[in-house]
Amino acid sequence: MTPARFDGYGVLITGAGRGIGAATARLLASEGARVLVTDLDAGRADAVAAEIRADGRVAEALVCDVADRAAVEAAVAYAVETFGGLDVLVNNAYACSLDSTLFEDEQDETWHRDLDISLGGAYRCSRAAMPHLAASGRGAIVSIGSVNGLQDFGNHAYSAAKAGLASLTRTLAGHAGPRGVRANLVVPGTIRTDAWAGREAELDRVSALYPLGRVGEPEDIAKAVAFLASSDAEWVTGTSLCVDGGLTAVNTGFRNAVTG
């Protein structure tokens, strides 16, 4: 029998109580990883970890606010102590606020919150995890970006944060490569998560813009994370992998307009 890709790995995932983070936790655990499910919501984190354990896999849950350096360092320390080391960090936690109608009405608090969680959180987690990832000999950081960091889909602060996360991924790759740690970014398009609850009609309209004819599912992103975190991608670092159904490669709206 072929060994699972993550046998013996210790993994920490932020924002893993639902959506992409939860799907990633389930997938990596199914392939042998011991997963620390962190989230601001204790109930959500506990539920995902319990589901994984019920499947005969290893998972722990912990509340972690990625905007709090002490909480981040405590989460990394807990993972290292519980699993005997840390091999993979998945930076998934984010904040995304609605834009004001007029840009001049945007609030500093909103701007700072989105950047501090979506970008600052990945910075704090990567900083705390780095020595342990380097010590593992197979360390990998996989961060979750967004097509918002590539093109205009709204959400000023969130988009700026995701663009910054792509840059952070590249600089981390350059710094950490000689230490044996890889850093990569997954760039999702529209994903069917709780953020779209009650907006099924919008998702149906959006689906028509995707060359592959549908929006993504959390599992689509989890599979990309698993690839980049595994030894299958051992010569891949500093890259941004678009998992977006072709949205940023093909202007479907324009093509439809000119072809009738």
Side-chain angles (χ1 to χ4, degrees), residues 222-259:
K223 292 171 187 176
V225 173
F227 164 67
L228 290 172
S230 76
S231 60
D232 291 343
E234 63 184 357
W235 209 52
V236 179
T237 194
T239 196
S240 292
L241 175 61
C242 284
V243 185
D244 66 353
L247 180 68
T248 56
V250 180
N251 190 327
T252 304
F254 182 85
R255 286 171 60 92
N256 291 342
V258 298
T259 59

Side-chain angles (χ1 to χ4, degrees), residues 37-64:
V37 178
T38 74
D39 200 277
L40 267 179
D41 188 307
R44 288 201 298 252
D46 287 337
V48 173
E51 177 187 351
I52 292 171
R53 290 194 296 269
D55 196 38
R57 304 297 181 173
V58 179
E60 299 288 336
L62 190 71
V63 172
C64 180

